[in-house]
Amino acid sequence: MDIEQFRKAGYQAIDRICDYYYALQQSKFSVLPDVEPGYLRPLLPSNAPETGEDFSQIAEDYQKLIVPGYTHWQHPSFLAYFPAGFSFEGILGDLYASSVSNPGFNWLASPSCTELESIVLDWASQMLGLSSSFLNSSGVGGGCFQNTASEAALVAIIAARSAYKAAYPDTKLEDMRIYTTTQTHSLGLKAGVILGLSVRALEVTREDNFSLRGDTLRSALEEDKKKELHPFILIATIGTTSSGAVDNIAEIRTVTADFPEIKIHVDAAWAGMALVCPEFRELCFLEDINAIADSFSTNFHKWGLTNFDACPLWVRDRKYLTDALDITPPFLRTAQGDAGIVVDYRNWHLGLGRRYRSLKLWFVLRGYGVEGFQKHIRKAVDLNKFFVELVTSSNMLSLCAPPSLALSVIRINPKPSASNQATLPEDALNDLNKLFYGKLSARKDIILTQTVLNGQFCIRLAIGSAFTQEVHIRDAFELITHEAKLALEAWEQPQIGA
């Protein structure tokens, strides 16, 4: 393909992308594809072509074979997991970034890549209200992109382990311990597996809205210290996956004042974006995060209008990362790096090469502005409030946990009626709700996800697509109610026969 062929194919690609999003906004296709596992292999050759093919045929095959297999994460009725960020500014940012294929491992590899990342992540940090300690311009702390929140946590744990070993060199690795909670994302356990470190998941309860409380943390720390174990990092969460719970950072702050060797990493992958709105900062313990967090991560590629991937990790002290990760062979040395006058981001994460992510976030931040981000977040929160109102008016559905920003967790829990005052035992309710979720997940026109909260089988509804409007939430509630009635009827038939 030469330049002019690329120009022609590029115009066609943009046209088709625009047509796709027009159709998506109008819900002209379902959220989920109508394909079965393994659908694609029989449709493609078993080997790569020996000679190059005309791109027009490649583009047609993309439309005919690949697009029908997509799950449409930006669909107005995509209400599962957490949202996948999207904006047209982000698409264009990725397009421009990929046009200058650049591994960006040090400043010299492309000065504008490094310097734009440094500036854009300062913009983002200030927009979220993070302490000035986390600014790249501080010369002490700073932020850089990681691949995902899981990798950000892994990097934070590696840095914390290195710092602890430097302070307590006789500590055995098998005695070191990562703290998470029973509601922490799987990233904590996975990091333990990767690093060969033990992980203690602290129990959180329904009574505390699945939030880690100070007494629980203190008790665990004192217990492990008596066993001569060495807890060295706590992964605190702002917005857990299952219920959107927020760990009580204020109480964690009080407890860890007595255990200064413990590092604090705040995983705010989803809910961290809510910090752009001042009214949500107290809910998310921003003041306490700014006081004690050694590192903080959130995903702009979830609720932050930015196409995957865009996950910054900010640290209070950049030496926290570079002391653990800086390995500089002769072929990577540069005059600027040796002089210490530039940042080489390869020393802030696991890989050497890195994607040019800052350009798309720069485009998105400029295209929306702080007010645009605030409008996006508030809209999703308001839509969730509307959904909660519908649920609380229902005689079949109930909330399993307090609503959290744009996330609600529900289940069938029939309210006693005048003719039937009986309540179902928990095992029966779980069976009923598994049947209910089975009916919902068989549909193609909506997608939600399941979870378990302290033994209760529940269904999550997470709002975040920029295309979701109130009508879609009302339609979703009506559909959920319809399937709930069918599940109740199907579940009651065997009970009557018994």
Side-chain angles (χ1 to χ4, degrees), residues 320-338:
Y320 181 50
L321 298 182
T322 58
D323 285 352
L325 298 170
D326 184 357
I327 297 176
T328 305
F331 55 82
L332 288 178
R333 292 185 61 181
T334 65
Q336 297 85 1
D338 288 349

Side-chain angles (χ1 to χ4, degrees), residues 118-423:
S118 175
I119 294 165
V120 164
L121 291 187
D122 278 3
W123 285 12
S125 175
Q126 292 166 327
M127 182 175 78
L128 297 175
L130 295 179
S131 165
S132 59
S133 301
F134 292 105
L135 294 175
N136 286 297
S137 59
S138 72
V140 178
C144 80
F145 283 109
Q146 308 291 326
N147 290 331
T148 64
S150 296
E151 187 169 308
L154 178 61
V155 167
I157 292 167
I158 291 170
R161 180 186 65 177
S162 178
Y164 196 92
K165 285 287 288 179
Y168 307 97
D170 295 332
T171 304
K172 298 177 181 178
L173 286 178
E174 58 264 33
D175 293 333
M176 298 181 72
R177 180 163 274 191
I178 301 165
Y179 273 10
T180 65
T181 80
T182 51
Q183 292 297 314
T184 303
H185 187 275
S186 57
L187 57 81
L189 289 173
K190 184 172 284 190
V193 170
I194 292 170
L195 299 174
L197 297 169
S198 69
V199 179
R200 180 171 180 179
L202 307 182
E203 189 69 36
V204 291
T205 65
R206 184 176 306 280
E207 292 71 26
D208 290 325
N209 296 329
F210 305 104
S211 167
L212 176 62
R213 303 299 300 272
D215 288 346
T216 301
L217 176 61
R218 184 180 294 278
S219 176
L221 286 166
E222 291 175 349
E223 179 183 325
D224 279 348
K225 292 290 185 180
K226 287 178 182 178
K227 295 177 181 178
E228 298 186 344
L229 295 174
H230 296 265
F232 69 97
I233 188 170
L234 167 68
I235 310 297
T237 306
I238 305 299
T240 59
T241 303
S242 284
S243 68
V246 176
D247 288 336
N248 194 312
I249 309 295
E251 293 182 3
I252 292 170
R253 177 182 180 181
T254 300
V255 172
T256 54
D258 297 330
F259 299 88
E261 70 278 12
I262 303 292
K263 298 294 187 183
I264 307 295
H265 173 66
V266 176
D267 172 33
W270 164 65
M273 291 310 307
L275 293 173
V276 73
C277 299
E279 66 267 29
F280 300 132
R281 290 177 176 177
E282 183 176 354
L283 169 71
C284 295
F285 294 98
L286 178 61
E287 180 181 341
D288 300 289
I289 290 171
N290 281 334
I292 66 166
D294 296 284
S295 54
F296 176 93
S297 179
T298 191
N299 285 340
F300 276 81
H301 65 240
K302 278 193 171 72
W303 205 7
L305 295 164
T306 308
N307 307 54
F308 190 87
D309 57 311
C311 175
L313 169 69
W314 286 279
V315 291
R316 190 176 298 275
D317 185 349
R318 63 186 64 178
K319 280 179 60 61
Y320 181 50
L321 298 182
T322 58
D323 285 352
L325 298 170
D326 184 357
I327 297 176
T328 305
F331 55 82
L332 288 178
R333 292 185 61 181
T334 65
Q336 297 85 1
D338 288 349
I341 58 175
V342 297
V343 170
D344 287 341
Y345 276 129
R346 64 183 173 78
N347 297 325
W348 292 42
H349 65 115
L350 298 179
L352 174 61
R354 45 205 324 275
R355 295 186 61 231
Y356 184 16
R357 304 175 179 94
S358 57
L359 190 64
K360 65 183 169 188
L361 184 55
W362 188 49
F363 281 17
V364 174
L365 288 172
R366 292 185 65 183
Y368 281 83
V370 175
E371 290 182 356
F373 271 81
Q374 291 172 336
K375 181 179 179 181
H376 173 66
I377 297 298
R378 287 169 181 151
K379 174 191 167 189
V381 173
D382 287 343
L383 288 175
N384 191 47
K385 289 177 181 176
F386 175 63
F387 178 72
V388 169
E389 290 173 3
L390 295 173
V391 170
T392 53
S393 69
S394 168
N395 60 3
M396 284 188 301
L397 302 173
S398 65
L399 295 166
C400 302
S404 176
L405 298 168
L407 171 67
S408 289
V409 188
I410 63 170
R411 68 190 319 215
I412 296 179
N413 189 7
K415 296 179 175 66
S417 64
S419 60
N420 184 1
Q421 291 294 315
T423 56

Side-chain angles (χ1 to χ4, degrees), residues 419-439:
S419 60
N420 184 1
Q421 291 294 315
T423 56
L424 295 176
E426 192 58 43
D427 287 347
L429 275 174
N430 280 342
D431 290 342
L432 170 59
N433 279 280
K434 288 174 183 178
L435 176 63
F436 174 37
Y437 181 70
K439 290 184 174 296

